[in-house]
Amino acid sequence: MTVDYDRLDVRPGMRVLDLGCGEGRHTFEAYRRGADVVALDLSVKDLATTASWCVAMELAGEVPATASATTIQGDLLSLPFPDASFDRIIASEVLEHIPDDVTAIREMTRVLKPGGMAAVTVPRWLPERVCWVLSDEYHANEGGHVRIYKEDELSGRLRDAGLTVTGNGFAHALHSPYWWLKCAIGDAGLTKAYHKMLVWDITEKPALTRVLEQALNPLIGKSVAIYLKKEEVTVGVGA
């Protein structure tokens, strides 16, 4: 996962929105932690995959009985929720796909409760820039990446929407070389071998690669995560 759930402080009973959930990787962890999760995406196919895995998790006893998971097809530019609906919001690897990211950020802020927290992740500038240089196909396709963010640029847009940046983090350093290989030589033997290593790493979580990735994340982490809070409005009381 790209988001650190301890930093986001996801707890049982919280209402959590996973924006652009894809096939649900961030939905699943919030669900395991006992949250009431709403997974939103435009893709009916991805939502069906997310829903089926959530059902499987429930049947396997992997989630608290009080938790819930719901999938909704929706557009990030016009979220189908009232103001201040969610305690926590996750928008992971989504904004780089949206031409009108300012509206998407404004909508995300609108449905977050005052005092609520959010995590926004996007591809990091340097690893992403290398991919764009190596391959047009990597980004120039329908639904592909429309921009490369610099962290301060994205943080500024989030602040402009009314959110306070509380911290950041980097993730997936071992994935950057894979994408560079894929962009440079396609699915050749070396790329496939590296992919097998990544699958093994994700499945087995060996200590050596965990330490290596933590060391490399500040340098070549594929993603940057920005952690945010929507400040509570303080109303003054007259004498």
Side-chain angles (χ1 to χ4, degrees):
M1 292 182 299
T2 313
V3 171
D4 184 334
Y5 281 74
D6 293 330
R7 291 184 71 172
L8 190 58
D9 190 26
V10 174
R11 290 178 268 126
M14 286 184 168
R15 196 157 189 245
V16 177
L17 175 61
D18 184 5
L19 286 174
C21 65
E23 294 188 339
R25 63 195 177 103
H26 285 97
T27 292
F28 303 147
E29 180 61 20
Y31 192 27
R32 286 190 186 97
R33 291 185 177 227
D36 296 323
V37 192
V38 177
L40 181 140
D41 204 282
L42 276 175
S43 170
V44 173
K45 181 181 178 182
D46 286 350
L47 289 171
T49 299
T50 300
S52 65
W53 278 106
C54 286
V55 170
M57 290 168 63
E58 180 183 8
L59 293 174
E62 295 183 14
V63 297
T66 55
S68 67
T70 306
T71 57
I72 294 179
Q73 185 183 25
D75 187 343
L76 273 69
L77 300 180
S78 181
L79 294 175
F81 310 112
D83 295 356
S85 295
F86 295 93
D87 301 290
R88 301 288 185 267
I89 294 179
I90 298 164
S92 183
E93 313 299 295
V94 175
L95 292 179
E96 69 274 12
H97 296 274
I98 302 175
D100 187 5
D101 62 335
V102 172
T103 296
I105 292 169
R106 188 181 302 124
E107 277 290 276
M108 178 184 73
T109 305
R110 178 183 67 80
V111 302
L112 182 63
K113 293 179 181 179
M117 298 169 65
V120 173
T121 85
V122 296
R124 197 174 177 190
W125 187 87
L126 178 59
E128 184 77 349
R129 186 60 187 159
V130 172
C131 289
W132 281 47
V133 169
L134 292 173
S135 171
D136 289 334
E137 186 179 357
Y138 170 80
H139 67 94
N141 54 73
E142 186 177 357
H145 298 182
V146 298
R147 70 178 64 79
I148 305 176
Y149 284 108
K150 291 185 177 180
E151 185 183 344
D152 58 351
E153 172 194 10
L154 178 56
S155 294
R157 295 188 188 189
L158 292 162
R159 290 190 186 97
D160 289 344
L163 298 170
T164 299
V165 176
T166 60
N168 68 358
F170 307 105
H172 312 314
L174 295 182
H175 290 238
S176 291
Y178 166 74
W179 284 105
W180 297 338
L181 285 169
K182 189 174 177 67
C183 288
I185 62 176
D187 290 320
L190 183 57
T191 308
K192 290 180 178 179
Y194 197 98
H195 184 268
K196 287 182 179 179
M197 185 279 291
L198 287 179
V199 172
W200 168 78
D201 176 58
I202 292 168
T203 303
E204 301 298 329
K205 298 181 176 65
L208 177 60
T209 56
R210 294 302 87 213
V211 171
L212 179 61
E213 184 157 72
Q214 287 298 319
L216 291 175
N217 273 339
L219 301 174
I220 59 168
K222 183 71 168 64
S223 298
V224 57
I226 301 175
Y227 296 91
L228 308 137
K229 183 176 182 179
K230 183 176 180 179
E231 300 297 341
E232 298 190 51
V233 177
T234 302
V235 179
V237 179

